[in-house]
Amino acid sequence: MLEVRLLGGQRITVDDDPVDLKGSTRTVALLGHLVLHADSPQRRAHVAGVFWPDSSESQARTNLRRELHGLRTRLPDADRCVGVDDTALWWRPDAPCVVDVLEFQRAADEADAAWRAGDEAGFIVAGERAVEAYGGDLLPGFYDDWVLAARDRLRRGCVEVLDR
């Protein structure tokens, strides 16, 4: 089973064996970006602009194609996880894998719903799952604006669960 860990570090494994993404930090960041936006396809032009804001549009798109190719060739069963068409990229919501960020978000949402419903037992169960899934900051060592914003949002979500 594919496991993607982006909280507290980056670790991608298949049946506990590490997946080598050839040291490309942009490939890992692209994977993270798609996971964080699993609920909506991301336009290629937008992703290219986010990752290479100082490059020409043509160069940014070339860079995106290179990183996407690296991701799709190195990630086992990539087409079952990453959707690609001529205009957009997306993380498949039914991807056959475990992703810590998505597990955290689901558990935190369940905890929030239980809290709002006054279901203390449901809150505790979901809250514990959320805290367990949150292994630390998102993509430590990455400082792009989109990473910092997502890192802060996820951290605040974990603190909120803990505060409750």
Side-chain angles (χ1 to χ4, degrees):
M1 159 122 355
L2 176 67
E3 288 189 51
V4 178
R5 302 283 174 213
L6 302 173
L7 296 169
Q10 302 91 46
R11 182 164 164 82
I12 301 164
T13 60
V14 174
D15 299 328
D16 293 325
D17 292 327
V19 172
D20 183 8
L21 292 180
K22 301 291 186 213
S24 173
T25 58
R26 285 286 176 205
T27 302
V28 173
L30 176 59
L31 175 66
H33 192 274
L34 295 176
V35 164
L36 286 166
H37 296 92
D39 57 339
S40 62
Q42 298 294 295
R43 296 191 52 78
R44 283 176 177 253
H46 172 74
V47 175
V50 165
F51 278 79
W52 297 278
D54 297 329
S55 296
S56 69
E57 183 177 344
S58 173
Q59 184 60 53
R61 285 177 171 259
T62 297
N63 293 343
L64 177 60
R65 280 192 301 275
R66 182 190 64 239
E67 295 302 331
L68 182 59
H69 176 74
L71 179 63
R72 293 176 78 195
T73 57
R74 295 180 189 115
L75 189 68
D77 293 328
D79 291 335
R80 294 176 63 196
C81 299
V82 178
V84 177
D85 66 22
D86 291 341
T87 61
L89 317 168
W90 62 96
W91 186 262
R92 296 183 184 279
D94 59 346
C97 60
V98 175
V99 181
D100 60 354
V101 172
L102 299 178
E103 287 188 352
F104 168 74
Q105 289 177 325
R106 276 191 291 271
D109 289 347
E110 287 175 27
D112 184 56
W115 177 265
R116 292 179 192 279
D119 176 6
E120 185 176 337
F123 169 77
I124 290 172
V125 168
E128 286 176 349
R129 279 194 351 263
V131 170
E132 184 178 321
Y134 188 84
D137 282 341
L138 173 72
L139 295 170
F142 289 74
Y143 299 100
D144 293 347
D145 289 343
W146 69 269
V147 174
L148 296 174
R151 182 182 297 155
D152 184 56
R153 180 180 54 80
L154 292 167
R155 183 185 305 132
R156 280 186 283 115
C158 186
V159 168
E160 185 175 316
V161 169
L162 289 167
D163 282 347
R164 288 180 176 173

PDB file of all heavy atoms in Angstrom, residues 76-112:
ATOM      1  N   PRO A  76       4.674   4.655  -7.750  1.00  0.00           N
ATOM      2  CA  PRO A  76       3.985   3.441  -8.198  1.00  0.00           C
ATOM      3  C   PRO A  76       2.481   3.680  -8.357  1.00  0.00           C
ATOM      4  O   PRO A  76       1.866   4.344  -7.528  1.00  0.00           O
ATOM      5  CB  PRO A  76       4.255   2.436  -7.074  1.00  0.00           C
ATOM      6  CG  PRO A  76       5.481   2.949  -6.392  1.00  0.00           C
ATOM      7  CD  PRO A  76       5.423   4.444  -6.509  1.00  0.00           C
ATOM      8  N   ASP A  77       1.917   3.152  -9.424  1.00  0.00           N
ATOM      9  CA  ASP A  77       0.486   3.315  -9.712  1.00  0.00           C
ATOM     10  C   ASP A  77       0.064   4.780  -9.712  1.00  0.00           C
ATOM     11  O   ASP A  77      -1.014   5.124  -9.244  1.00  0.00           O
ATOM     12  CB  ASP A  77      -0.370   2.522  -8.721  1.00  0.00           C
ATOM     13  CG  ASP A  77      -0.205   1.031  -8.877  1.00  0.00           C
ATOM     14  OD1 ASP A  77       0.026   0.582 -10.019  1.00  0.00           O
ATOM     15  OD2 ASP A  77      -0.314   0.307  -7.872  1.00  0.00           O
ATOM     16  N   ALA A  78       0.920   5.634 -10.227  1.00  0.00           N
ATOM     17  CA  ALA A  78       0.665   7.081 -10.186  1.00  0.00           C
ATOM     18  C   ALA A  78      -0.677   7.451 -10.796  1.00  0.00           C
ATOM     19  O   ALA A  78      -1.368   8.327 -10.278  1.00  0.00           O
ATOM     20  CB  ALA A  78       1.785   7.828 -10.892  1.00  0.00           C
ATOM     21  N   ASP A  79      -1.064   6.778 -11.876  1.00  0.00           N
ATOM     22  CA  ASP A  79      -2.322   7.144 -12.531  1.00  0.00           C
ATOM     23  C   ASP A  79      -3.540   6.812 -11.683  1.00  0.00           C
ATOM     24  O   ASP A  79      -4.618   7.345 -11.918  1.00  0.00           O
ATOM     25  CB  ASP A  79      -2.427   6.477 -13.904  1.00  0.00           C
ATOM     26  CG  ASP A  79      -1.419   7.064 -14.887  1.00  0.00           C
ATOM     27  OD1 ASP A  79      -1.006   8.227 -14.695  1.00  0.00           O
ATOM     28  OD2 ASP A  79      -1.040   6.361 -15.836  1.00  0.00           O
ATOM     29  N   ARG A  80      -3.366   5.962 -10.673  1.00  0.00           N
ATOM     30  CA  ARG A  80      -4.470   5.677  -9.750  1.00  0.00           C
ATOM     31  C   ARG A  80      -4.575   6.760  -8.678  1.00  0.00           C
ATOM     32  O   ARG A  80      -5.573   6.844  -7.979  1.00  0.00           O
ATOM     33  CB  ARG A  80      -4.282   4.318  -9.100  1.00  0.00           C
ATOM     34  CG  ARG A  80      -4.390   3.182 -10.126  1.00  0.00           C
ATOM     35  CD  ARG A  80      -4.119   1.836  -9.533  1.00  0.00           C
ATOM     36  NE  ARG A  80      -5.113   1.501  -8.513  1.00  0.00           N
ATOM     37  CZ  ARG A  80      -4.949   0.535  -7.624  1.00  0.00           C
ATOM     38  NH1 ARG A  80      -3.839  -0.177  -7.625  1.00  0.00           N
ATOM     39  NH2 ARG A  80      -5.883   0.278  -6.747  1.00  0.00           N
ATOM     40  N   CYS A  81      -3.530   7.583  -8.561  1.00  0.00           N
ATOM     41  CA  CYS A  81      -3.492   8.630  -7.536  1.00  0.00           C
ATOM     42  C   CYS A  81      -3.604  10.035  -8.122  1.00  0.00           C
ATOM     43  O   CYS A  81      -4.240  10.901  -7.533  1.00  0.00           O
ATOM     44  CB  CYS A  81      -2.201   8.539  -6.739  1.00  0.00           C
ATOM     45  SG  CYS A  81      -1.987   6.980  -5.876  1.00  0.00           S
ATOM     46  N   VAL A  82      -2.964  10.257  -9.250  1.00  0.00           N
ATOM     47  CA  VAL A  82      -2.902  11.587  -9.844  1.00  0.00           C
ATOM     48  C   VAL A  82      -3.663  11.589 -11.162  1.00  0.00           C
ATOM     49  O   VAL A  82      -3.374  10.789 -12.047  1.00  0.00           O
ATOM     50  CB  VAL A  82      -1.435  12.009 -10.089  1.00  0.00           C
ATOM     51  CG1 VAL A  82      -1.364  13.374 -10.753  1.00  0.00           C
ATOM     52  CG2 VAL A  82      -0.654  11.995  -8.788  1.00  0.00           C
ATOM     53  N   GLY A  83      -4.629  12.490 -11.256  1.00  0.00           N
ATOM     54  CA  GLY A  83      -5.368  12.675 -12.499  1.00  0.00           C
ATOM     55  C   GLY A  83      -4.722  13.776 -13.314  1.00  0.00           C
ATOM     56  O   GLY A  83      -4.276  14.790 -12.761  1.00  0.00           O
ATOM     57  N   VAL A  84      -4.657  13.566 -14.608  1.00  0.00           N
ATOM     58  CA  VAL A  84      -4.020  14.534 -15.497  1.00  0.00           C
ATOM     59  C   VAL A  84      -4.831  14.611 -16.771  1.00  0.00           C
ATOM     60  O   VAL A  84      -5.217  13.588 -17.345  1.00  0.00           O
ATOM     61  CB  VAL A  84      -2.576  14.087 -15.848  1.00  0.00           C
ATOM     62  CG1 VAL A  84      -1.936  15.059 -16.822  1.00  0.00           C
ATOM     63  CG2 VAL A  84      -1.731  13.926 -14.605  1.00  0.00           C
ATOM     64  N   ASP A  85      -5.091  15.840 -17.209  1.00  0.00           N
ATOM     65  CA  ASP A  85      -5.618  16.023 -18.561  1.00  0.00           C
ATOM     66  C   ASP A  85      -4.912  17.235 -19.165  1.00  0.00           C
ATOM     67  O   ASP A  85      -3.947  17.734 -18.585  1.00  0.00           O
ATOM     68  CB  ASP A  85      -7.152  16.121 -18.595  1.00  0.00           C
ATOM     69  CG  ASP A  85      -7.720  17.355 -17.921  1.00  0.00           C
ATOM     70  OD1 ASP A  85      -6.996  18.367 -17.763  1.00  0.00           O
ATOM     71  OD2 ASP A  85      -8.907  17.326 -17.551  1.00  0.00           O
ATOM     72  N   ASP A  86      -5.368  17.698 -20.302  1.00  0.00           N
ATOM     73  CA  ASP A  86      -4.659  18.776 -20.998  1.00  0.00           C
ATOM     74  C   ASP A  86      -4.645  20.095 -20.237  1.00  0.00           C
ATOM     75  O   ASP A  86      -3.756  20.923 -20.444  1.00  0.00           O
ATOM     76  CB  ASP A  86      -5.272  19.012 -22.379  1.00  0.00           C
ATOM     77  CG  ASP A  86      -5.005  17.854 -23.327  1.00  0.00           C
ATOM     78  OD1 ASP A  86      -4.077  17.061 -23.053  1.00  0.00           O
ATOM     79  OD2 ASP A  86      -5.721  17.746 -24.339  1.00  0.00           O
ATOM     80  N   THR A  87      -5.615  20.296 -19.353  1.00  0.00           N
ATOM     81  CA  THR A  87      -5.705  21.594 -18.689  1.00  0.00           C
ATOM     82  C   THR A  87      -5.539  21.550 -17.179  1.00  0.00           C
ATOM     83  O   THR A  87      -5.322  22.592 -16.559  1.00  0.00           O
ATOM     84  CB  THR A  87      -7.061  22.257 -18.988  1.00  0.00           C
ATOM     85  OG1 THR A  87      -8.108  21.418 -18.492  1.00  0.00           O
ATOM     86  CG2 THR A  87      -7.241  22.491 -20.477  1.00  0.00           C
ATOM     87  N   ALA A  88      -5.648  20.362 -16.557  1.00  0.00           N
ATOM     88  CA  ALA A  88      -5.656  20.317 -15.093  1.00  0.00           C
ATOM     89  C   ALA A  88      -4.951  19.082 -14.541  1.00  0.00           C
ATOM     90  O   ALA A  88      -4.721  18.099 -15.252  1.00  0.00           O
ATOM     91  CB  ALA A  88      -7.098  20.350 -14.588  1.00  0.00           C
ATOM     92  N   LEU A  89      -4.637  19.176 -13.255  1.00  0.00           N
ATOM     93  CA  LEU A  89      -4.043  18.082 -12.478  1.00  0.00           C
ATOM     94  C   LEU A  89      -4.872  17.956 -11.211  1.00  0.00           C
ATOM     95  O   LEU A  89      -5.381  18.948 -10.709  1.00  0.00           O
ATOM     96  CB  LEU A  89      -2.608  18.411 -12.062  1.00  0.00           C
ATOM     97  CG  LEU A  89      -1.677  19.039 -13.071  1.00  0.00           C
ATOM     98  CD1 LEU A  89      -0.419  19.535 -12.363  1.00  0.00           C
ATOM     99  CD2 LEU A  89      -1.307  18.008 -14.109  1.00  0.00           C
ATOM    100  N   TRP A  90      -4.951  16.754 -10.661  1.00  0.00           N
ATOM    101  CA  TRP A  90      -5.673  16.587  -9.415  1.00  0.00           C
ATOM    102  C   TRP A  90      -5.264  15.299  -8.722  1.00  0.00           C
ATOM    103  O   TRP A  90      -4.807  14.363  -9.361  1.00  0.00           O
ATOM    104  CB  TRP A  90      -7.183  16.618  -9.611  1.00  0.00           C
ATOM    105  CG  TRP A  90      -7.707  15.518 -10.478  1.00  0.00           C
ATOM    106  CD1 TRP A  90      -8.220  14.320 -10.062  1.00  0.00           C
ATOM    107  CD2 TRP A  90      -7.791  15.484 -11.906  1.00  0.00           C
ATOM    108  NE1 TRP A  90      -8.598  13.553 -11.146  1.00  0.00           N
ATOM    109  CE2 TRP A  90      -8.348  14.246 -12.287  1.00  0.00           C
ATOM    110  CE3 TRP A  90      -7.431  16.402 -12.910  1.00  0.00           C
ATOM    111  CZ2 TRP A  90      -8.561  13.901 -13.611  1.00  0.00           C
ATOM    112  CZ3 TRP A  90      -7.646  16.046 -14.228  1.00  0.00           C
ATOM    113  CH2 TRP A  90      -8.204  14.810 -14.563  1.00  0.00           C
ATOM    114  N   TRP A  91      -5.396  15.323  -7.397  1.00  0.00           N
ATOM    115  CA  TRP A  91      -5.215  14.123  -6.596  1.00  0.00           C
ATOM    116  C   TRP A  91      -6.559  13.428  -6.577  1.00  0.00           C
ATOM    117  O   TRP A  91      -7.570  14.029  -6.251  1.00  0.00           O
ATOM    118  CB  TRP A  91      -4.773  14.479  -5.176  1.00  0.00           C
ATOM    119  CG  TRP A  91      -4.443  13.259  -4.379  1.00  0.00           C
ATOM    120  CD1 TRP A  91      -5.272  12.628  -3.493  1.00  0.00           C
ATOM    121  CD2 TRP A  91      -3.237  12.502  -4.416  1.00  0.00           C
ATOM    122  NE1 TRP A  91      -4.641  11.523  -2.978  1.00  0.00           N
ATOM    123  CE2 TRP A  91      -3.382  11.428  -3.524  1.00  0.00           C
ATOM    124  CE3 TRP A  91      -2.040  12.636  -5.110  1.00  0.00           C
ATOM    125  CZ2 TRP A  91      -2.377  10.496  -3.305  1.00  0.00           C
ATOM    126  CZ3 TRP A  91      -1.055  11.702  -4.891  1.00  0.00           C
ATOM    127  CH2 TRP A  91      -1.220  10.654  -4.002  1.00  0.00           C
ATOM    128  N   ARG A  92      -6.576  12.165  -6.941  1.00  0.00           N
ATOM    129  CA  ARG A  92      -7.832  11.421  -7.010  1.00  0.00           C
ATOM    130  C   ARG A  92      -8.353  11.148  -5.592  1.00  0.00           C
ATOM    131  O   ARG A  92      -7.633  10.589  -4.772  1.00  0.00           O
ATOM    132  CB  ARG A  92      -7.634  10.112  -7.749  1.00  0.00           C
ATOM    133  CG  ARG A  92      -7.251  10.301  -9.207  1.00  0.00           C
ATOM    134  CD  ARG A  92      -7.139   8.957  -9.914  1.00  0.00           C
ATOM    135  NE  ARG A  92      -6.694   9.110 -11.271  1.00  0.00           N
ATOM    136  CZ  ARG A  92      -7.468   9.441 -12.296  1.00  0.00           C
ATOM    137  NH1 ARG A  92      -8.738   9.666 -12.100  1.00  0.00           N
ATOM    138  NH2 ARG A  92      -6.966   9.552 -13.514  1.00  0.00           N
ATOM    139  N   PRO A  93      -9.592  11.542  -5.322  1.00  0.00           N
ATOM    140  CA  PRO A  93     -10.132  11.342  -3.974  1.00  0.00           C
ATOM    141  C   PRO A  93     -10.259   9.869  -3.590  1.00  0.00           C
ATOM    142  O   PRO A  93     -10.251   9.528  -2.416  1.00  0.00           O
ATOM    143  CB  PRO A  93     -11.498  12.027  -4.012  1.00  0.00           C
ATOM    144  CG  PRO A  93     -11.797  12.263  -5.446  1.00  0.00           C
ATOM    145  CD  PRO A  93     -10.514  12.212  -6.214  1.00  0.00           C
ATOM    146  N   ASP A  94     -10.320   8.999  -4.591  1.00  0.00           N
ATOM    147  CA  ASP A  94     -10.446   7.563  -4.322  1.00  0.00           C
ATOM    148  C   ASP A  94      -9.097   6.843  -4.475  1.00  0.00           C
ATOM    149  O   ASP A  94      -9.048   5.620  -4.623  1.00  0.00           O
ATOM    150  CB  ASP A  94     -11.475   6.938  -5.259  1.00  0.00           C
ATOM    151  CG  ASP A  94     -11.119   7.112  -6.734  1.00  0.00           C
ATOM    152  OD1 ASP A  94     -10.227   7.925  -7.051  1.00  0.00           O
ATOM    153  OD2 ASP A  94     -11.734   6.432  -7.562  1.00  0.00           O
ATOM    154  N   ALA A  95      -8.011   7.602  -4.408  1.00  0.00           N
ATOM    155  CA  ALA A  95      -6.671   7.023  -4.570  1.00  0.00           C
ATOM    156  C   ALA A  95      -6.449   5.914  -3.544  1.00  0.00           C
ATOM    157  O   ALA A  95      -6.755   6.098  -2.361  1.00  0.00           O
ATOM    158  CB  ALA A  95      -5.608   8.103  -4.425  1.00  0.00           C
ATOM    159  N   PRO A  96      -5.931   4.770  -3.979  1.00  0.00           N
ATOM    160  CA  PRO A  96      -5.724   3.635  -3.074  1.00  0.00           C
ATOM    161  C   PRO A  96      -4.446   3.787  -2.250  1.00  0.00           C
ATOM    162  O   PRO A  96      -3.448   3.110  -2.488  1.00  0.00           O
ATOM    163  CB  PRO A  96      -5.632   2.448  -4.038  1.00  0.00           C
ATOM    164  CG  PRO A  96      -5.012   3.047  -5.269  1.00  0.00           C
ATOM    165  CD  PRO A  96      -5.559   4.453  -5.351  1.00  0.00           C
ATOM    166  N   CYS A  97      -4.482   4.719  -1.308  1.00  0.00           N
ATOM    167  CA  CYS A  97      -3.295   4.975  -0.510  1.00  0.00           C
ATOM    168  C   CYS A  97      -3.685   5.656   0.800  1.00  0.00           C
ATOM    169  O   CYS A  97      -4.828   6.027   1.000  1.00  0.00           O
ATOM    170  CB  CYS A  97      -2.309   5.840  -1.275  1.00  0.00           C
ATOM    171  SG  CYS A  97      -2.969   7.433  -1.729  1.00  0.00           S
ATOM    172  N   VAL A  98      -2.706   5.800   1.654  1.00  0.00           N
ATOM    173  CA  VAL A  98      -2.873   6.495   2.922  1.00  0.00           C
ATOM    174  C   VAL A  98      -2.071   7.785   2.833  1.00  0.00           C
ATOM    175  O   VAL A  98      -0.870   7.757   2.535  1.00  0.00           O
ATOM    176  CB  VAL A  98      -2.357   5.634   4.099  1.00  0.00           C
ATOM    177  CG1 VAL A  98      -2.414   6.400   5.401  1.00  0.00           C
ATOM    178  CG2 VAL A  98      -3.131   4.326   4.184  1.00  0.00           C
ATOM    179  N   VAL A  99      -2.725   8.910   3.074  1.00  0.00           N
ATOM    180  CA  VAL A  99      -2.071  10.217   3.025  1.00  0.00           C
ATOM    181  C   VAL A  99      -2.327  10.905   4.360  1.00  0.00           C
ATOM    182  O   VAL A  99      -3.486  11.170   4.704  1.00  0.00           O
ATOM    183  CB  VAL A  99      -2.607  11.076   1.864  1.00  0.00           C
ATOM    184  CG1 VAL A  99      -1.899  12.423   1.811  1.00  0.00           C
ATOM    185  CG2 VAL A  99      -2.482  10.344   0.537  1.00  0.00           C
ATOM    186  N   ASP A 100      -1.276  11.178   5.107  1.00  0.00           N
ATOM    187  CA  ASP A 100      -1.441  11.737   6.455  1.00  0.00           C
ATOM    188  C   ASP A 100      -2.215  13.047   6.469  1.00  0.00           C
ATOM    189  O   ASP A 100      -3.065  13.266   7.331  1.00  0.00           O
ATOM    190  CB  ASP A 100      -0.099  11.876   7.171  1.00  0.00           C
ATOM    191  CG  ASP A 100       0.906  12.779   6.477  1.00  0.00           C
ATOM    192  OD1 ASP A 100       0.650  13.256   5.356  1.00  0.00           O
ATOM    193  OD2 ASP A 100       1.981  12.993   7.075  1.00  0.00           O
ATOM    194  N   VAL A 101      -1.973  13.923   5.500  1.00  0.00           N
ATOM    195  CA  VAL A 101      -2.672  15.208   5.460  1.00  0.00           C
ATOM    196  C   VAL A 101      -4.175  14.984   5.312  1.00  0.00           C
ATOM    197  O   VAL A 101      -4.972  15.614   6.016  1.00  0.00           O
ATOM    198  CB  VAL A 101      -2.150  16.091   4.310  1.00  0.00           C
ATOM    199  CG1 VAL A 101      -2.992  17.334   4.146  1.00  0.00           C
ATOM    200  CG2 VAL A 101      -0.697  16.460   4.525  1.00  0.00           C
ATOM    201  N   LEU A 102      -4.557  14.093   4.420  1.00  0.00           N
ATOM    202  CA  LEU A 102      -5.979  13.831   4.205  1.00  0.00           C
ATOM    203  C   LEU A 102      -6.601  13.140   5.414  1.00  0.00           C
ATOM    204  O   LEU A 102      -7.746  13.444   5.780  1.00  0.00           O
ATOM    205  CB  LEU A 102      -6.183  13.007   2.937  1.00  0.00           C
ATOM    206  CG  LEU A 102      -5.699  13.672   1.642  1.00  0.00           C
ATOM    207  CD1 LEU A 102      -5.915  12.755   0.457  1.00  0.00           C
ATOM    208  CD2 LEU A 102      -6.385  15.019   1.438  1.00  0.00           C
ATOM    209  N   GLU A 103      -5.857  12.236   6.038  1.00  0.00           N
ATOM    210  CA  GLU A 103      -6.361  11.586   7.252  1.00  0.00           C
ATOM    211  C   GLU A 103      -6.565  12.614   8.360  1.00  0.00           C
ATOM    212  O   GLU A 103      -7.564  12.583   9.072  1.00  0.00           O
ATOM    213  CB  GLU A 103      -5.409  10.486   7.709  1.00  0.00           C
ATOM    214  CG  GLU A 103      -5.459   9.260   6.833  1.00  0.00           C
ATOM    215  CD  GLU A 103      -4.665   8.105   7.412  1.00  0.00           C
ATOM    216  OE1 GLU A 103      -3.948   8.285   8.424  1.00  0.00           O
ATOM    217  OE2 GLU A 103      -4.787   7.008   6.855  1.00  0.00           O
ATOM    218  N   PHE A 104      -5.614  13.523   8.508  1.00  0.00           N
ATOM    219  CA  PHE A 104      -5.757  14.571   9.512  1.00  0.00           C
ATOM    220  C   PHE A 104      -6.988  15.424   9.226  1.00  0.00           C
ATOM    221  O   PHE A 104      -7.796  15.687  10.123  1.00  0.00           O
ATOM    222  CB  PHE A 104      -4.509  15.456   9.586  1.00  0.00           C
ATOM    223  CG  PHE A 104      -4.744  16.691  10.393  1.00  0.00           C
ATOM    224  CD1 PHE A 104      -4.831  16.626  11.775  1.00  0.00           C
ATOM    225  CD2 PHE A 104      -4.929  17.920   9.773  1.00  0.00           C
ATOM    226  CE1 PHE A 104      -5.094  17.759  12.533  1.00  0.00           C
ATOM    227  CE2 PHE A 104      -5.184  19.058  10.521  1.00  0.00           C
ATOM    228  CZ  PHE A 104      -5.270  18.980  11.897  1.00  0.00           C
ATOM    229  N   GLN A 105      -7.120  15.878   7.988  1.00  0.00           N
ATOM    230  CA  GLN A 105      -8.245  16.753   7.645  1.00  0.00           C
ATOM    231  C   GLN A 105      -9.588  16.062   7.875  1.00  0.00           C
ATOM    232  O   GLN A 105     -10.515  16.677   8.417  1.00  0.00           O
ATOM    233  CB  GLN A 105      -8.126  17.236   6.200  1.00  0.00           C
ATOM    234  CG  GLN A 105      -7.007  18.233   6.025  1.00  0.00           C
ATOM    235  CD  GLN A 105      -6.813  18.681   4.591  1.00  0.00           C
ATOM    236  OE1 GLN A 105      -6.989  17.911   3.641  1.00  0.00           O
ATOM    237  NE2 GLN A 105      -6.434  19.922   4.420  1.00  0.00           N
ATOM    238  N   ARG A 106      -9.700  14.798   7.477  1.00  0.00           N
ATOM    239  CA  ARG A 106     -10.959  14.058   7.692  1.00  0.00           C
ATOM    240  C   ARG A 106     -11.273  13.940   9.179  1.00  0.00           C
ATOM    241  O   ARG A 106     -12.391  14.181   9.620  1.00  0.00           O
ATOM    242  CB  ARG A 106     -10.888  12.669   7.060  1.00  0.00           C
ATOM    243  CG  ARG A 106     -11.223  12.644   5.578  1.00  0.00           C
ATOM    244  CD  ARG A 106     -11.405  11.219   5.074  1.00  0.00           C
ATOM    245  NE  ARG A 106     -10.166  10.467   5.062  1.00  0.00           N
ATOM    246  CZ  ARG A 106      -9.317  10.419   4.049  1.00  0.00           C
ATOM    247  NH1 ARG A 106      -9.575  11.081   2.951  1.00  0.00           N
ATOM    248  NH2 ARG A 106      -8.222   9.711   4.126  1.00  0.00           N
ATOM    249  N   ALA A 107     -10.260  13.539   9.953  1.00  0.00           N
ATOM    250  CA  ALA A 107     -10.479  13.353  11.390  1.00  0.00           C
ATOM    251  C   ALA A 107     -10.796  14.686  12.072  1.00  0.00           C
ATOM    252  O   ALA A 107     -11.665  14.743  12.948  1.00  0.00           O
ATOM    253  CB  ALA A 107      -9.259  12.687  12.023  1.00  0.00           C
ATOM    254  N   ALA A 108     -10.102  15.751  11.700  1.00  0.00           N
ATOM    255  CA  ALA A 108     -10.374  17.063  12.290  1.00  0.00           C
ATOM    256  C   ALA A 108     -11.782  17.541  11.935  1.00  0.00           C
ATOM    257  O   ALA A 108     -12.482  18.107  12.784  1.00  0.00           O
ATOM    258  CB  ALA A 108      -9.326  18.079  11.835  1.00  0.00           C
ATOM    259  N   ASP A 109     -12.214  17.293  10.690  1.00  0.00           N
ATOM    260  CA  ASP A 109     -13.585  17.651  10.293  1.00  0.00           C
ATOM    261  C   ASP A 109     -14.615  16.849  11.084  1.00  0.00           C
ATOM    262  O   ASP A 109     -15.640  17.390  11.512  1.00  0.00           O
ATOM    263  CB  ASP A 109     -13.793  17.428   8.790  1.00  0.00           C
ATOM    264  CG  ASP A 109     -13.055  18.445   7.936  1.00  0.00           C
ATOM    265  OD1 ASP A 109     -12.573  19.470   8.479  1.00  0.00           O
ATOM    266  OD2 ASP A 109     -12.941  18.193   6.713  1.00  0.00           O
ATOM    267  N   GLU A 110     -14.352  15.548  11.275  1.00  0.00           N
ATOM    268  CA  GLU A 110     -15.254  14.717  12.072  1.00  0.00           C
ATOM    269  C   GLU A 110     -15.290  15.195  13.525  1.00  0.00           C
ATOM    270  O   GLU A 110     -16.365  15.236  14.140  1.00  0.00           O
ATOM    271  CB  GLU A 110     -14.817  13.254  12.032  1.00  0.00           C
ATOM    272  CG  GLU A 110     -15.080  12.574  10.715  1.00  0.00           C
ATOM    273  CD  GLU A 110     -14.528  11.151  10.685  1.00  0.00           C
ATOM    274  OE1 GLU A 110     -14.414  10.524  11.763  1.00  0.00           O
ATOM    275  OE2 GLU A 110     -14.205  10.678   9.589  1.00  0.00           O
ATOM    276  N   ALA A 111     -14.136  15.554  14.068  1.00  0.00           N
ATOM    277  CA  ALA A 111     -14.080  16.061  15.437  1.00  0.00           C
ATOM    278  C   ALA A 111     -14.869  17.358  15.557  1.00  0.00           C
ATOM    279  O   ALA A 111     -15.629  17.548  16.523  1.00  0.00           O
ATOM    280  CB  ALA A 111     -12.627  16.268  15.870  1.00  0.00           C
ATOM    281  N   ASP A 112     -14.727  18.240  14.579  1.00  0.00           N
ATOM    282  CA  ASP A 112     -15.461  19.505  14.592  1.00  0.00           C
ATOM    283  C   ASP A 112     -16.972  19.258  14.533  1.00  0.00           C
ATOM    284  O   ASP A 112     -17.730  19.883  15.278  1.00  0.00           O
ATOM    285  CB  ASP A 112     -15.011  20.375  13.414  1.00  0.00           C
ATOM    286  CG  ASP A 112     -15.678  21.732  13.437  1.00  0.00           C
ATOM    287  OD1 ASP A 112     -15.553  22.444  14.456  1.00  0.00           O
ATOM    288  OD2 ASP A 112     -16.341  22.084  12.438  1.00  0.00           O
TER     289      ASP A 112
END
